């Protein structure tokens, strides 16, 4: 059996190096330009107070989960991503939309380490880890999970075994299937199956699942690793209406505990889950804001939504 491609790596304790150690109290990590700046991403619900302003109320915002800073990617002179900056809060559900060729897939590729940018940086949580300098495996270990449009599961193995393989994948398939799970690992898988709605199908071979169920299973395989940021590419492609509705419910459920980024073309689905939408066009951020604002933006209507 040929194992499908999965961006699944069992989380490992980060190496205790200077680069992997958070700044101490009152410190701020250096920026990519070499200058020191106050980053809203540092620490939970960061509070930034300018020097000499102690008497004034401070500004508090949710901690930033993912920070894309002035990202540019070129292919043979063509700019697939052109100076894109994004801030995604912890627990946020963000939809990214745009016409074909807008740069959505390239952006996901850069975040997960598949593509290196010409310039810019991507920070996870704080400004400690620039993901553009790390391998795909290391990025996955740090808590970034990605689901591609086409589901990739182990068809001959049960739903439960697929989650088990995801959770313990670094041990190898043979060892995983014959090793005993710890109590915490079993509880983790049971929790994931309840979340994705497949607990009653845990003994069924994944190859016999309906298309929508396979999509949910792959999301569950990522959830088994407890990612901080979950990137999901066109989750409802090919789904029935009831499956789309359940997927929308799942996306809303996942947000809050982790940051969820959904790339999708189905605007009915986007409207059902969108809290904040980013529109990409020709590699740039064309518009960003609540769905009501995006739908009425003349630029977005012209290049993507139509009249």
């Amino acid at each position: 059996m040929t194992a499908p491609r999965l961006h699944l790596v069992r989380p490992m304790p980060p190496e205790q190096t200077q680069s992997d150690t958070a700044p101490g109290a009152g410190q701020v990590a250096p920026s990519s330009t070499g200058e020191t700046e106050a980053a809203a991403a540092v620490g939970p619900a960061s509070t930034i107070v300018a020097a000499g302003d102690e008497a004034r109320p401070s500004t508090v915002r949710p901690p930033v989960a993912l920070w894309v800073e002035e990202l540019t990617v070129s292919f043979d002179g063509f700019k697939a991503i052109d100076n894109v900056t994004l801030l995604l809060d912890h627990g946020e559900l963000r939809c990214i939309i745009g016409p074909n060729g807008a740069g959505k897939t390239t952006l996901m590729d850069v975040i997960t380490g598949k593509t290196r940018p010409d310039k810019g940086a991507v920070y996870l949580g704080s400004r400690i880890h620039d993901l553009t300098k790390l391998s795909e495996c290391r990025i996955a270990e740090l808590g970034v999970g990605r689901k591609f449009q086409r589901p990739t599961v182990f068809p001959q193995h049960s739903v439960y075994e697929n989650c088990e393989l995801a959770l313990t994948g670094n041990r190898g398939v043979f060892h995983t299937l014959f090793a005993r799970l710890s109590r915490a690992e079993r509880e983790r898988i049971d929790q994931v199956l309840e979340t994705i709605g497949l607990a009653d199908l845990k003994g069924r071979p994944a190859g016999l699942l309906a298309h929508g169920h396979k999509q949910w299973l792959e999301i569950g395989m990522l959830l088994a690793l407890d990612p901080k940021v979950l990137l999901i590419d066109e989750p409802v492609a090919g789904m029935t209406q009831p499956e789309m509705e359940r997927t929308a419910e799942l996306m809303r459920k996942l947000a809050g505990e982790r940051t969820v980024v959904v790339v999708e073309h189905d605007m009915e689905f986007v409207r059902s889950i969108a809290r904040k939408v980013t529109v990409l066009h020709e590699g740039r951020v064309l518009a960003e804001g609540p769905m009501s604002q995006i739908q009425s933006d003349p630029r977005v209507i012209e290049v993507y939504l139509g009249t």
Side-chain angles (χ1 to χ4, degrees), residues 38 101 129 191 240 268:
H129 297 290
Q191 180 185 34
T240 64
E268 179 183 352

Side-chain angles (χ1 to χ4, degrees), residues 48-279:
I48 308 300
V49 182
D53 289 346
E54 290 83 356
R56 293 190 294 177
S58 60
T59 301
V60 180
R61 60 159 294 146
V64 173
L66 191 69
W67 186 336
V68 177
E69 185 178 51
E70 299 179 352
L71 207 64
T72 296
V73 180
S74 299
F75 299 111
D76 297 325
F78 170 75
K79 287 188 176 181
I81 296 289
D82 189 3
N83 199 39
V84 166
T85 294
L86 296 173
L87 287 176
L88 289 90
D89 293 335
H90 172 72
E92 180 179 352
L93 173 57
R94 177 76 64 92
C95 291
I96 298 180
I97 65 174
N100 291 330
K104 303 183 297 296
T105 298
T106 302
L107 177 60
M108 300 298 105
D109 287 346
V110 173
I111 293 172
T112 54
K114 185 178 181 181
T115 297
R116 299 297 182 192
D118 299 329
K119 74 178 187 70
V122 179
Y123 298 103
L124 180 65
S126 67
R127 296 179 66 89
I128 301 170
H129 297 290
D130 180 357
L131 302 187
T132 67
K133 310 298 185 184
L134 305 178
S135 67
E136 292 182 71
C137 290
R138 181 60 177 145
I139 291 170
E141 288 174 356
L142 288 172
V144 178
R146 181 181 185 181
K147 184 206 169 302
F148 292 87
Q149 177 180 348
R150 184 175 179 179
T152 52
V153 298
F154 297 92
Q156 303 302 320
H157 294 292
S158 70
V159 168
Y160 191 94
E161 289 170 344
N162 269 264
C163 290
E164 183 178 351
L165 285 165
L167 184 62
T168 60
N170 65 311
R171 301 176 187 172
V173 174
F174 181 84
H175 184 277
T176 296
L177 294 178
F178 291 94
R180 292 178 61 87
L181 292 173
S182 68
R183 178 178 179 180
E185 289 173 330
R186 292 195 301 270
E187 290 176 350
R188 178 64 186 163
I189 294 176
D190 288 341
Q191 180 185 34
V192 165
L193 293 177
E194 286 291 339
T195 297
I196 63 176
L198 296 182
D200 293 339
L201 300 176
K202 64 182 180 180
R204 179 171 298 184
L208 300 181
L209 295 175
H211 173 70
H213 290 171
K214 289 179 181 177
Q215 296 278 33
W216 301 335
L217 174 57
E218 188 174 10
I219 292 173
M221 294 167 73
L222 291 171
L223 291 177
L225 300 176
D226 197 21
K228 300 173 184 176
V229 176
L230 192 55
L231 311 176
I232 304 179
D233 192 3
E234 297 192 40
V236 298
M239 283 190 178
T240 64
Q241 186 62 35
E243 289 174 337
M244 288 177 58
E245 293 172 358
R246 286 191 59 184
T247 302
E249 181 182 350
L250 177 59
M251 295 298 101
R252 291 190 292 265
K253 185 188 300 183
L254 295 180
E257 296 182 1
R258 57 187 50 80
T259 299
V260 180
V261 181
V262 177
V263 174
E264 184 55 69
H265 284 290
D266 191 301
M267 294 309 300
E268 179 183 352
F269 177 74
V270 171
R271 291 185 188 97
S272 71
I273 67 170
R275 299 174 185 176
K276 190 173 185 179
V277 179
T278 298
V279 184

Side-chain angles (χ1 to χ4, degrees), residues 20-31:
D20 284 347
T21 305
Q27 292 181 319
V28 179
S31 73

